[in-house]
Amino acid sequence: METVKVKKTAFNAIHHLLGAKMVDFAGYEMPVQYKGINHEHETVRNNVGVFDVSHMGEILIQGKEALSLIQKISSNDASKLFPGKVQYSCMPNDTGGIIDDLLVYMISKDDYLLVINASNIKKDLNWIHGQNSFDAKVSNISDSMSLLAVQGPKAQQVLQKLTDVSLKDLAYYMFTIGELAHIPNALISATGYTGAGGFEIYVENRYAAHLWEAIFEVGKEEGIEPIGLGARDTLRLEMGYCLYGNDIDDFTSPLEAGLGWITKFNKDFVHSGFLKIQKEKGISKKLVGFEMIDKGIPRHGYEIWNENHEILGTVTSGTMSPTLKTAIGMGYISVENSAVGNEIFINIRNKSAKAIIVALPFINVK
């Protein structure tokens, strides 16, 4: 049996040097925490932190029919993009589920960058190639790129010291390509997965160590810290952001996941007819957020019950919220039981723990 080699990002040696707790995540050795998840979570919410997210996949789609291919494989309407604009979207499969969620960057008229989840790189590529009946070139550049997410209310203050690009003028879900920390052609994107504001920076691997050192040198005054994937998960969950493999997957539709806003029926995409019928007929289950009333932390896969211990659905994500100081979760539940304010019960080790359905996001950030 062939041994699968765990991949390492260009920042791997730095993580070890800093004493990070490392774990295998999506085939990569990644830092889950440095000083502790709660501390790192609060650092990003209140200050500024840096995530190595170089495990994410990057795919270039280029050519005169690049847009046509993207329109076919993605649920959102990429014709609304313009150079410098980013769009959140998903790739539906041929049974109404989700192959992956992704970001689409329009670099120029015939030049697009897709950013996908690490665990889905091979699957996504095979799917895109299989749909490519267009004059479009598909290139996987994942292994040559490094990506840092600098997140938090002081992220702009830190990064502005390293570039002449006016970051305050870079609106949410916009990007630019320019010089940062003397690195040419850095892609600076006003995006993130924390709800705390900030930027994501894409550079070639050869600039990775320099980028890290430059950011941490200028960020000393603001108390910048490295942040692991543990806090990334608690931060995104407080915002009600979906995590692929937990809250969305090949068997959940974007409409069930509350992603109707990125599912546009003014164009044809893979299996759009099925989703259009689903929208017209109505969904039978939907993704909801809930807060625990009783003690206990909901975990992926736990059953959601009614008061009679009848199964209503399943928990997809759960954690103890560092901001709210209470346990929170998301899960799919039958539509008739999904109203905000409804009491539900989570099966935690065969014990019924009361919770209440709440509106997402769990917290409101400025």
Side-chain angles (χ1 to χ4, degrees):
M1 187 174 176
E2 187 180 350
T3 303
V4 178
K5 188 178 180 182
V6 177
K7 290 185 172 184
K8 297 179 179 180
T9 75
F11 302 104
N12 184 271
I14 296 174
H15 301 317
H16 280 281
L17 194 64
L18 293 172
K21 179 183 178 183
M22 306 294 284
V23 297
D24 183 350
F25 182 81
Y28 286 79
E29 186 183 47
M30 298 296 291
V32 68
Q33 62 181 36
Y34 299 84
K35 292 182 178 178
I37 292 173
N38 285 354
H39 170 80
E40 291 166 31
H41 180 109
E42 289 168 6
T43 295
V44 174
R45 278 275 176 261
N46 302 315
N47 198 23
V48 58
V50 179
F51 303 81
D52 173 13
V53 281
S54 304
H55 60 308
M56 300 294 284
E58 291 89 14
I59 297 174
L60 287 175
I61 298 186
Q62 299 165 304
K64 64 181 183 180
E65 291 185 319
L67 177 60
S68 297
L69 175 56
I70 292 168
Q71 288 287 69
K72 182 180 180 183
I73 63 172
S74 65
S75 64
N76 210 335
D77 185 2
S79 71
K80 301 295 185 183
L81 288 170
F82 51 87
K85 180 65 177 169
V86 192
Q87 185 180 76
Y88 180 59
S89 191
C90 74
M91 277 194 285
N93 60 24
D94 53 12
T95 58
I98 299 172
I99 292 172
D100 205 357
D101 62 335
L102 68 154
L103 294 180
V104 181
Y105 287 75
M106 184 176 181
I107 296 168
S108 63
K109 180 175 175 286
D110 301 321
D111 194 356
Y112 295 81
L113 171 69
L114 309 188
V115 180
I116 59 177
N117 285 293
S119 57
N120 292 335
I121 294 172
K122 186 177 180 181
K123 178 179 78 166
D124 290 4
L125 270 171
N126 288 340
W127 178 260
I128 293 168
H129 282 304
Q131 301 298 324
N132 189 11
S133 57
F134 304 93
D135 185 1
K137 180 184 176 185
V138 179
S139 309
N140 178 18
I141 61 169
S142 305
D143 290 341
S144 65
M145 299 300 293
S146 290
L147 171 59
L148 289 183
V150 184
Q151 298 282 292
K154 294 184 181 177
Q156 180 184 307
Q157 191 176 326
V158 170
L159 290 177
Q160 192 62 73
K161 302 173 188 178
L162 295 172
T163 182
D164 290 334
V165 171
S166 178
L167 297 179
K168 67 178 175 60
D169 294 327
L170 201 60
Y172 190 47
Y173 266 66
M174 295 291 293
F175 75 96
T176 190
I177 296 173
E179 188 175 288
L180 186 141
H182 303 295
I183 299 169
N185 301 318
L187 192 156
I188 308 163
S189 176
T191 50
Y193 194 49
T194 65
F199 302 86
E200 295 178 304
I201 305 163
Y202 300 77
V203 298
E204 295 174 29
N205 286 341
R206 57 183 168 143
Y207 298 119
H210 170 72
L211 178 65
W212 182 283
E213 290 165 10
I215 289 172
F216 277 85
E217 181 60 35
V218 298
K220 282 179 181 177
E221 191 178 332
E222 288 79 15
I224 198 167
E225 292 190 35
I227 312 295
L229 295 181
R232 183 172 165 86
D233 192 49
T234 57
L235 287 157
R236 71 91 191 169
L237 185 49
E238 285 187 345
M239 297 305 297
Y241 295 155
C242 291
L243 173 64
Y244 194 89
N246 279 44
D247 314 299
I248 51 176
D249 56 32
D250 286 291
F251 306 100
T252 57
S253 90
L255 302 181
E256 293 167 341
L259 298 176
W261 62 280
I262 62 165
T263 309
K264 303 296 173 61
F265 296 113
N266 61 336
K267 61 158 199 166
D268 288 326
F269 56 85
V270 172
H271 220 48
S272 56
F274 171 85
L275 292 175
K276 195 169 186 179
I277 291 169
Q278 188 180 61
K279 183 179 181 181
E280 290 166 357
K281 288 188 172 181
I283 53 176
S284 60
K285 66 176 182 179
K286 66 181 289 190
L287 188 65
V288 299
F290 60 87
E291 290 183 9
M292 297 302 300
I293 296 172
D294 292 340
K295 286 187 177 180
I297 298 177
R299 299 296 186 194
H300 177 78
Y302 284 8
E303 293 171 345
I304 301 174
W305 291 346
N306 64 14
E307 59 187 359
N308 299 319
H309 292 195
E310 296 168 328
I311 298 173
L312 303 179
T314 309
V315 175
T316 55
S317 289
T319 193
M320 175 62 72
S321 165
T323 302
L324 298 174
K325 312 300 183 192
T326 190
I328 59 173
M330 294 198 298
Y332 284 94
I333 190 168
S334 51
V335 168
E336 59 268 26
N337 294 288
S338 65
V340 170
N342 276 6
E343 283 189 351
I344 55 174
F345 299 83
I346 311 301
N347 176 6
I348 301 179
R349 299 187 188 91
N350 290 319
K351 290 184 179 179
S352 181
K354 187 186 291 187
I356 187 168
I357 297 176
V358 297
L360 294 172
F362 292 99
I363 66 166
N364 292 308
V365 292
K366 293 178 181 178

